[in-house]
Structure formats: C-alpha cells, structure tokens
Amino acid sequence: MIKRPLIATRRCLPKAVDWTVRIASLLLAAPLSKNIRRADVRVADRDPGYVAGKGFSSVHYVHRALIVFTVLAVAAFQPAAGQSFIIKNLGALPGGNYSNALGINERDQVVGYSIAASGNTYATLFENGVVTNLGALPGGNFSSAAAVNNRAQVVGGSSTARGNDHAFLFEHGVMTDLGTLPGGNSSSAAAVNERGQVVGNSSDLRGYVHAALFENGVVTDLGTLPGGNESGALGINNRGQVVGYSSTASGNAHAFLYEHGVMTDLGTLSGVGLSHAQAINDRGQVVGVSSTANGFVHAFLYENGVMTDLGTLPGRSNSSAFGINNRGQIVGESDIGNNSYSPHAFLFEHGMMTDLGTLPGDNFSEAVGITERGQIAGNSTSSAILWTREK
C-alpha cells in the first residue's frame, strides 16, 4: 500500500483545510509541486488538528502554500492587465478574510471555500454578490466545494462526525453524503455533469485510492492504468467521458481518459515523466499539465490522439491548464518556476496565451474555470475572483 506522499500539489489550503497526497511518484519536485491543481494533498504541517490517516484524502483542490498575511485592501472591480476584462473580488464568508474559487457554471454561480468567522473552512457559493456557507456533513466542521453544474448541483468533500472525509452533493439546501467504495473510509467529489453524474475518488477496502463514479446511490470503481494502484478522477463531460490521473507500472502518474469502461493512458509531452488531466469539454478536448523534456511542466491540450504543449506566458517556465469550455478556450496559470512562486492566470485562445493580470498590489492569480460566454473564475492571493469581458 502506498502511504508516502506521491505528488505535492500546486496549491495548499489554509490551515483549516488540507488534504492527503495519494497520486504518483514525485519526479519534478520543485516545478511540479506548484503546478498540479487538483492533486490530493492534506498538508499536515499546515493543520494543527491534522491526524495521520484521516482528513480529505484524495481530493483535487489544494491551495498554494499560503502566502497571505494580511487582507489586501483593493477595489472590488479592477481591469485585467492587457485585456478587456474586469476583475471582481467575490469576497468571503462574514467574519472571514479568505476565499477560494474552484468551479463555475453557466449561471455565473461560483463555488469553492471560504474561512468563516469561527476559523473553520466551509464549502461556499458565490452568487450575485452574496457569499453563502453551504455547511458540512452532519458532525463535520470543514468542507470545500469543487464544482457546480447548471442545475445548481454542487459537489465536493466534507469532514464527517466520524472524522473521515466524504464526497457530497448539495442541492435544494441539503448536503448529501455520497459514500465510499465498499470497505473504504474516505472519498471526495471533483466534478459533476448535467446528468448529475459525479466523479472523484474513494479509498477502497485495501486502503488504496481509486477514481470513482458516484451515480444513483452507487459508487463505482473506475480502476487504474495497467500496473498502477492508485488513481483519481478530476473531470467529466456531458457524454460521460472521465479524465484524471493514475499511477502506472513505471511509478509515474499519467493522465487518463475513461470511456465505455476502458481507461486510456494519454501519455506525456516528453514521452517520459508524468501528467495529469484536469478537465474535458463536450467535444472530448482534454487539458491538464505534463512534464516536459527540459524538466519543467507545461499546460497541454489533448485531442484526436495528440497531446499539444500550450507553452507558457512570456518569461515564465511552468504552466498548467485547469479548465476548458466547448469553444476550446482554455484557462490556467503560468509560473516563473522559482522559489518566489507568483503565477499569473492565463486565457489560451486562437493559439495565444494571454496574461489575465492580477488585482492591484497582488502578485498572484490563477484561473480555474471558464463558461461558454467567457466568464472566468479564479483566485488572487486571498480572494476568489471573477473575470468578466468588457462589452
């Protein structure tokens, strides 16, 4: 059984929330650790209440090493650098000073998490200027929302009364526990399509974590790539195609596409190393992040059997793609690749990667999802934000 950390991730949640790393061997320690959005990390040294073996195992959203020490005093609306976009600060739960966006739907409902006045972190809905606490599963004291579909069904992970962490579905004001694989004690949801199919991952009877489909009260194990023993699902489209990562016989994590009961290895940009698939649109286009021949990690687009390197923003070494809409517009972040981690959000369209800028006075931004109308959800150092294209 794999118990060691396998991939550090791009983001580390605030102290109230952290996750257990269960993915694939760490080949690119410095660059990769900052460019995998939805790997699965519970950062013990950031949570004094962390207990080994418990917590949000195998979830997908890990916030960067927290660098916020004060609340940024910035205007709610600011223009994005070099773009015809307006950046809106989506705020935080009352009494809190930190929020993070992880998903957006076509109704411009944004979900993620925020620190409440109590100091606990809860799944959060941002809508029309209102920040709503979605609570936690009965007996739980922290949660995070990962995705929302156009039916306003929200999915994510929450602690439970027993101290384990379970995937949830929130709709009509009620948070429902989606359970685990038989014999498992933890699970998390990463994405939901318009049919209400939910994907994420779950521990199993042996303690491994596998990609899982939650549907009609049944949790289905999607397995792993040949030779692998752990996996996680990160995205699903309306055709039921699932993407994510799996360990392989070589010990490296590779991006996968799962359809018709078969998990296919999407490979890597360099032919070696590792990759993660983060999202898939209804055209079957897949985006994510992969190691490259020069030792960095780059955002990729996979379609028609070909993985294409999307490059980086000018002067930067690393990039990662987190979202894609049905128009093929891709969003993510690009980083310098050194110890002063300060990524900028990007929009990739028409073969070009454009810097979306940051809130004034900030040096951090990332884009996590994009709607068909081009609304982009993302984050600054301490706040969930929304980019809206100027008319």
Side-chain angles (χ1 to χ4, degrees):
M1 182 185 303
I2 298 178
K3 291 298 186 182
R4 59 190 169 81
L6 298 178
I7 281 185
T9 88
R10 180 186 62 84
R11 305 193 299 175
C12 300
L13 293 174
K15 292 183 179 180
V17 177
D18 51 46
W19 314 91
T20 304
V21 180
R22 286 181 174 272
I23 314 175
S25 57
L26 177 59
L27 289 187
L28 304 173
L32 188 64
S33 67
K34 297 172 181 176
N35 286 276
I36 301 293
R37 173 181 176 226
R38 296 182 178 183
D40 316 320
V41 169
R42 179 155 210 161
V43 186
D45 64 354
R46 295 188 181 277
D47 187 351
Y50 173 74
V51 178
K54 298 184 180 291
F56 283 95
S57 60
S58 297
V59 195
H60 41 301
Y61 22 76
V62 189
H63 200 47
R64 70 268 180 194
L66 189 58
I67 57 175
V68 55
F69 298 103
T70 59
V71 180
L72 295 177
V74 296
F77 295 83
Q78 296 293 343
Q83 277 287 294
S84 53
F85 283 89
I86 295 294
I87 307 178
K88 178 182 180 181
N89 186 332
L90 297 182
L93 288 173
N97 60 9
Y98 186 92
S99 63
N100 195 262
L102 293 169
I104 186 172
N105 66 10
E106 296 302 317
R107 298 162 61 179
D108 294 337
Q109 293 175 311
V110 176
V111 296
Y113 60 85
S114 178
I115 296 177
S118 65
N120 293 334
T121 297
Y122 290 108
T124 303
L125 170 67
F126 307 88
E127 183 177 19
N128 298 326
V130 178
V131 184
T132 302
N133 187 339
L134 302 186
L137 291 171
N141 60 8
F142 56 91
S143 60
S144 179
V148 58
N149 65 13
N150 295 327
R151 296 161 59 187
Q153 293 176 308
V154 181
V155 299
S158 170
S159 59
T160 66
R162 299 186 63 179
N164 298 320
D165 311 302
H166 282 192
F168 72 75
L169 168 67
F170 183 96
E171 61 178 337
H172 308 308
V174 178
M175 183 177 288
T176 301
D177 190 332
L178 296 182
T180 69
L181 289 171
N185 60 15
S186 63
S187 63
S188 178
V192 58
N193 65 13
E194 298 309 312
R195 295 157 59 185
Q197 294 176 305
V198 180
V199 294
N201 41 46
S202 172
S203 60
D204 62 15
L205 182 61
R206 297 180 300 163
Y208 291 110
V209 173
H210 282 191
L213 170 69
F214 305 83
E215 185 175 21
N216 299 324
V218 177
V219 186
T220 302
D221 190 337
L222 302 187
T224 69
L225 291 172
N229 52 24
E230 301 214 348
S231 60
L234 303 177
I236 184 171
N237 65 12
N238 291 322
R239 297 159 58 186
Q241 295 174 301
V242 181
V243 296
Y245 61 86
S246 171
S247 58
T248 64
S250 69
N252 298 328
H254 279 193
F256 73 71
L257 170 65
Y258 181 96
E259 58 181 335
H260 308 306
V262 177
M263 184 179 286
T264 301
D265 190 336
L266 301 188
T268 69
L269 288 171
S270 61
V272 295
L274 46 80
S275 61
H276 278 58
Q278 311 266 29
I280 182 170
N281 66 12
D282 291 337
R283 296 161 57 186
Q285 295 175 305
V286 181
V287 296
V289 60
S290 170
S291 54
T292 63
N294 61 5
F296 296 105
V297 293
H298 283 186
F300 72 75
L301 169 66
Y302 182 96
E303 61 179 333
N304 301 322
V306 177
M307 183 178 286
T308 301
D309 190 334
L310 300 184
T312 69
L313 290 174
R316 294 174 179 258
S317 303
N318 296 314
S319 61
S320 184
F322 304 143
I324 182 171
N325 64 14
N326 290 328
R327 298 167 60 187
Q329 295 173 306
I330 300 166
V331 295
E333 69 176 24
S334 183
D335 185 40
I336 296 172
N338 57 26
N339 291 331
S340 58
Y341 180 48
S342 55
H344 278 202
F346 72 74
L347 168 65
F348 186 96
E349 60 180 345
H350 310 307
M352 295 181 57
M353 184 179 288
T354 302
D355 192 332
L356 293 177
T358 68
L359 288 171
D362 205 353
N363 63 356
F364 180 104
S365 67
E366 60 185 0
V368 300
I370 182 169
T371 70
E372 301 307 316
R373 294 181 294 111
Q375 298 278 82
I376 300 170
N379 300 292
S380 68
T381 298
S382 59
S383 299
I385 55 179
L386 181 70
W387 284 270
T388 300
R389 196 184 296 268
E390 289 184 312
K391 297 180 180 179

